[in-house]
Amino acid sequence: MKKKEFKSSSKRVLDLMINSIYTNKEIFLRELISNASDAIDKLAFEKSKDAKLNINPSDFKIFISVNKSDRTITISDNGIGMDEEELDKSLGTIAESGSLRFKEENPDSKDSEIIGQFGVGFYSAFMVSKKVEVISKKIGSDDSYIWTSEGVEGYTIGKATKKENGTDIILYLKDDTEDEKYSDFMEEYTIRNLIKKYSDYIKYPIMMEVENSRLKEGTKDEYETYTEVQTLNSMKPLWKKDKKDISEEEYNNFYTSKFSDYEKPLKVIHYNAEGLENYKALLFIPSHAPFDYYYKEYKKGLELYTNGVLIMDKCEKLLPDYYSFVKGVVDTDDIPLNISRETLQNDRHVLGIAKGIETKIHSALIELLTKDFEGYKKFFKDFGNQIKFGIYGSYGINKDKVLDLLIFYSSKKKDFITLKEYVDSMKNDQKEIYYACGETVEKIDLLPQVEMVKEKDFDILYLTDYADEFTIGAINTFMEKTFKNVCDSSLDLDTKDEKEELSKLNEESKDMLSKMKDILKDKVSDVKITDKLKNHPVCLTSNGAISTQMEKVINAMPNSEKVSSSLTLEINDSHPILAKLKDLYKDDEKQFEKYTKVLYAQSKLIEGLPIDNPTELSNLVCDLLSK
Ligand code: ADP
């Protein structure tokens, strides 16, 4: 028997398990039971495809036994089993290297978060065991194998003599310490409670030999003990139970154990559909995004059961992309068991169910938004980007399905509002929905263009997400209103008189402005005098589709073709700098050029754009300071 090493990433997760100070060690049992149940699911699925397979589904069970003198707990299943290679692969490497990436990216994360997040499954056995043996026989194979490990040092795999297909996991409990009484896990009472708490819904019987006492035959007061095998779980899947019989805690436990989350769900959606499509759905909106949510590897989907058999653990077609965060189970008898994965994706029942699910999720979110806005904001912080992506990713095709779920920060309310709320409170003379973009609310608030629009008492939506402008672009119009970036050069809030006045001012200084444009060459497409500014001397506005913020976003993307927005430098008509410029233009060409360059750089700084030539700017400023 050769000693093998764990993959280095597994070693670290294992180490985390073994030395964990995680208080919730009891979850090891639910993890192992859940693996056992999965293994039986897999065999049930094989059987559904191949009726000749010599197994009887009514024999499926999970068995728990305890040997107090050896300090062992054994969890056995008669599921699909593992062959030598599978033992090596499945137990030698942890499936999700995600836990490590998470730990690297979040060095301060707590054990509970990592363990919860990844449900590190099988390895959780090491939280309570000093040694673990796995004896397994794969269905259809003549050989059985034993995998043994005492922790990070490694594991061995050898031949075994198991007769029936399935897997026995034997845990050699750690010694009791002052803080941890591992021997408690061997008590019938503890095991019973843990199964009720976490694994009640498992659809195969979880059995255990228990001691009972009874009156001795032929006596009146003499008792004898005897053992009997009892089923400890109710076996009724939670989603098949009546809603009114399910406590919040049951829902929460089901969710956290089944979907490996350490936090209870934000919202539970449980319903029974009858009619065109007949199915039961138990769905959850998580209260936070899983660590890998915005990575490519994340796969959306719901568990799909038909006729009591799990036929797909992530049926993608049941969820639109913009609800990819939803977790849950769908159970229907309408879909034939032996359907192939490819056909399943286009099955009319699946598509019909998906439609129903989408409607339910939407109304659940609207309910959250109207009844628990704080909860909704939390939801939106984590998943709003996905909903926005649903809009711009489809170039607006799906927008009507989710537009009412969008919220943006409002300058007036100083809180988030929906687009409808914005339009409903628009001023009579306001034609467009105003927005401004920047990295944070505070930074946007400092933009010179924002100041003036606020001064005129218009509300502005502050867009702080990289996806926001693309989203607005894809929405195009909302309740017949178009959107306008307040930093766009075409923003026009002036009365007719004001316009005339401004155009006169620009006309008078035509030569000077055009000289400035020459100095700045191709950096700006125009220089003009504006009445949009209150205190700031200058600002940059963009013309056309690409705003300065969008330029930043696009250019920060890897592999993107660099873009630049077309910019106008605007000079405040009521700022003393204008008079100064006019003087210099007349008398001092050199100085005029320097002023122009500095003002341009200033306007870029305010926008948060990089300065083209910081050295030149620094020299110019010093030069002016020392005058
Ligand atoms: P997960 O269950 O999330 O895949 P685990 O670490 O719990 O991760 O298990 C790793 C793999 O080991 C499983 O995916 C499965 O292939 C295999 N496995 C674990 N327990 C059993 C079992 N009782 N029967 C068959 N295979 C098992």
Side-chain angles (χ1 to χ4, degrees):
M1 221 179 319
K2 217 177 107 208
K3 187 118 186 154
K4 298 196 177 199
E5 294 227 357
F6 286 104
K7 288 263 158 60
S8 66
S9 57
S10 309
K11 247 188 206 169
R12 280 148 67 197
V13 176
L14 206 53
D15 193 45
L16 192 75
M17 288 292 116
I18 295 167
N19 300 312
S20 165
I21 44 155
Y22 188 44
T23 48
N24 214 14
K25 295 195 159 91
E26 61 186 33
I27 60 147
F28 80 92
L29 189 62
R30 75 155 199 228
E31 296 294 323
L32 298 179
I33 287 178
S34 143
N35 280 350
S37 170
D38 290 348
I40 301 177
D41 271 344
K42 285 180 195 158
L43 186 54
F45 184 59
E46 291 302 315
K47 173 74 184 172
S48 74
K49 287 193 301 191
D50 178 7
K52 289 199 290 295
L53 201 61
N54 185 24
I55 50 158
N56 183 359
S58 62
D59 292 339
F60 284 143
K61 62 169 178 286
I62 297 163
F63 204 93
I64 301 195
S65 47
V66 167
N67 183 329
K68 285 193 177 168
S69 51
D70 292 353
R71 279 180 77 81
T72 60
I73 303 175
T74 303
I75 296 111
S76 306
D77 67 70
N78 52 0
I80 194 151
M82 284 175 274
D83 58 24
E84 189 176 7
E85 196 190 333
E86 284 167 327
L87 276 170
D88 191 24
K89 259 209 186 132
S90 306
L91 307 184
T93 343
I94 180 127
E96 287 123 317
S97 60
S99 51
L100 290 169
R101 181 158 73 193
F102 182 79
K103 182 81 189 169
E104 273 155 23
E105 288 175 6
N106 305 274
D108 302 328
S109 55
K110 292 193 232 52
D111 283 2
S112 64
E113 280 176 349
I114 299 177
I115 295 171
Q117 195 110 315
F118 306 99
V120 261
F122 171 72
Y123 285 1
S124 62
F126 286 94
M127 290 200 291
V128 298
S129 319
K130 49 183 176 190
K131 174 172 148 188
V132 178
E133 285 175 357
V134 181
I135 304 172
S136 199
K137 182 163 182 279
K138 175 111 180 182
I139 186 84
S141 157
D142 294 330
D143 302 318
S144 65
Y145 296 91
I146 174 166
W147 178 100
T148 312
S149 171
E150 291 181 26
V152 279
E153 288 78 36
Y155 58 91
T156 57
I157 299 178
K159 284 236 177 200
T161 54
K162 190 171 162 40
K163 298 266 174 319
E164 306 291 335
N165 62 282
T167 305
D168 303 329
I169 314 265
I170 305 163
L171 310 177
Y172 292 79
L173 292 184
K174 288 185 183 176
D175 300 331
D176 290 355
T177 66
E178 229 164 76
D179 304 328
E180 299 276 1
K181 259 195 89 196
Y182 296 100
S183 39
D184 278 350
F185 292 124
M186 292 190 291
E187 297 304 327
E188 178 195 323
Y189 157 90
T190 312
I191 295 176
R192 248 179 213 287
N193 279 339
L194 289 180
I195 289 175
K196 263 275 161 274
K197 183 169 173 188
Y198 294 117
S199 311
D200 193 57
Y201 66 88
I202 293 283
K203 60 180 182 297
Y204 307 107
I206 304 170
M207 300 171 128
M208 188 164 76
E209 201 166 54
V210 297
E211 275 197 352
N212 246 333
S213 63
R214 65 185 164 205
L215 209 54
K216 215 167 168 177
E217 223 173 293
T219 71
K220 285 213 170 88
D221 52 6
E222 271 186 59
Y223 285 86
E224 60 178 2
T225 54
Y226 71 103
T227 53
E228 69 172 359
V229 172
Q230 280 184 6
T231 298
L232 307 182
N233 56 330
S234 73
M235 289 196 285
K236 186 152 184 169
L238 196 62
W239 58 90
K240 283 197 174 166
K241 285 193 190 169
D242 203 328
K243 237 167 130 160
K244 64 177 192 312
D245 299 331
I246 307 175
S247 69
E248 197 185 319
E249 202 194 353
E250 271 182 283
Y251 277 130
N252 292 347
N253 276 335
F254 175 84
Y255 168 78
T256 48
S257 57
K258 193 161 182 64
F259 298 107
S260 301
D261 196 346
Y262 57 92
E263 224 180 317
K264 63 180 188 177
L266 189 61
K267 203 154 177 65
V268 180
I269 309 167
H270 185 190
Y271 68 99
N272 195 353
E274 277 167 15
L276 216 53
E277 305 299 340
N278 300 291
Y279 63 96
K280 293 180 170 64
L282 176 53
L283 313 173
F284 301 91
I285 297 173
S287 47
H288 63 119
F291 86 101
D292 61 346
Y293 187 58
Y294 287 105
Y295 287 100
K296 268 214 299 290
E297 302 95 85
Y298 181 86
K299 284 211 167 61
K300 64 167 182 166
L302 299 174
E303 280 194 359
L304 180 61
Y305 286 82
T306 180
N307 298 291
V309 177
L310 178 70
I311 58 168
M312 209 170 177
D313 62 358
K314 284 217 165 126
C315 185
E316 292 168 41
K317 275 284 155 73
L318 289 174
L319 288 177
D321 276 343
Y322 38 88
Y323 296 148
S324 62
F325 46 82
V326 175
K327 305 270 181 202
V329 173
V330 172
D331 195 334
T332 176
D333 289 346
D334 291 349
I335 299 171
L337 250 176
N338 54 359
I339 190 166
S340 77
R341 272 174 180 252
E342 292 69 44
T343 334
L344 192 62
Q345 295 287 358
N346 293 309
D347 182 81
R348 97 186 141 78
H349 290 295
V350 172
L351 301 180
I353 294 172
K355 230 182 197 168
I357 286 175
E358 172 165 0
T359 313
K360 286 282 180 183
I361 298 172
H362 183 260
S363 21
L365 289 174
I366 291 289
E367 187 184 298
L368 193 65
L369 190 151
T370 44
K371 293 198 180 142
D372 172 15
F373 193 56
E374 288 308 308
Y376 190 80
K377 280 197 285 189
K378 189 170 178 309
F379 157 80
F380 201 77
K381 189 167 159 278
D382 272 26
F383 300 116
N385 268 338
Q386 190 60 23
I387 294 189
K388 290 170 194 169
F389 177 70
I391 296 177
Y392 69 82
S394 70
Y395 303 103
I397 292 169
N398 293 321
K399 66 175 185 177
D400 292 332
K401 296 180 183 157
V402 288
L403 268 179
D404 50 359
L405 296 176
L406 293 179
I407 51 172
F408 296 104
Y409 186 90
S410 140
S411 64
K412 255 193 185 167
K413 198 168 170 205
K414 302 209 179 338
D415 196 355
F416 286 81
I417 60 171
T418 62
L419 289 175
K420 178 155 191 312
E421 280 174 278
Y422 183 98
V423 173
D424 286 347
S425 61
M426 269 168 76
K427 291 168 48 159
N428 286 339
D429 56 342
Q430 186 180 350
K431 291 184 204 70
E432 294 170 302
I433 300 172
Y434 296 129
Y435 68 90
C437 307
E439 279 147 52
T440 59
V441 163
E442 293 72 29
K443 281 194 181 170
I444 299 178
D445 228 12
L446 293 173
L447 287 175
Q449 298 92 325
V450 164
E451 192 179 45
M452 194 49 154
V453 181
K454 269 167 65 176
E455 178 84 1
K456 296 205 171 182
D457 200 33
F458 291 113
D459 193 8
I460 307 174
L461 299 176
Y462 285 4
L463 311 188
T464 51
D465 263 337
Y466 72 94
D468 283 339
E469 265 195 292
F470 300 101
T471 310
I472 296 285
I475 297 173
N476 197 18
T477 55
F478 180 81
M479 288 168 76
E480 291 167 22
K481 307 282 182 218
T482 51
F483 293 82
K484 176 67 92 192
N485 189 339
V486 298
C487 299
D488 192 293
S489 57
S490 66
L491 178 75
D492 176 13
L493 303 176
D494 287 345
T495 61
K496 196 159 162 269
D497 287 351
E498 285 166 338
K499 266 184 219 162
E500 273 169 17
E501 171 81 7
L502 190 62
S503 125
K504 214 171 96 207
L505 264 179
N506 272 293
E507 188 56 37
E508 280 166 12
S509 304
K510 202 172 71 189
D511 294 342
M512 176 188 86
L513 295 171
S514 122
K515 177 76 190 162
M516 288 178 86
K517 185 168 175 283
D518 288 345
I519 293 169
L520 297 173
K521 298 208 186 72
D522 47 4
K523 292 190 179 104
V524 293
S525 49
D526 204 3
V527 179
K528 62 185 187 190
I529 299 172
T530 182
D531 58 0
K532 266 191 270 201
L533 297 173
K534 210 174 129 228
N535 297 315
H536 296 271
V538 282
C539 73
L540 271 184
T541 55
S542 50
N543 326 308
I546 299 173
S547 71
T548 52
Q549 187 62 22
M550 211 184 253
E551 172 184 324
K552 272 187 270 178
V553 172
I554 295 178
N555 290 345
M557 288 187 208
N559 313 324
S560 72
E561 214 167 287
K562 300 286 174 255
V563 298
S564 54
S565 44
S566 149
L567 300 170
T568 301
L569 176 65
E570 305 201 22
I571 306 161
N572 187 346
D573 64 341
S574 52
H575 197 281
I577 197 71
L578 183 59
K580 179 81 184 175
L581 278 171
K582 283 181 182 167
D583 286 347
L584 291 174
Y585 178 63
K586 268 195 283 163
D587 306 332
D588 188 342
E589 200 177 319
K590 274 243 149 57
Q591 240 3 39
F592 178 74
E593 184 172 336
K594 285 180 187 166
Y595 268 66
T596 303
K597 285 182 172 169
V598 170
L599 285 173
Y600 166 71
Q602 271 191 324
S603 69
K604 282 201 105 174
L605 277 175
I606 299 173
E607 281 291 327
L609 291 170
I611 300 293
D612 308 317
N613 188 343
T615 324
E616 186 191 25
L617 173 68
S618 165
N619 289 340
L620 283 170
V621 172
C622 274
D623 196 40
L624 294 177
L625 286 176
S626 45
K627 277 265 159 222

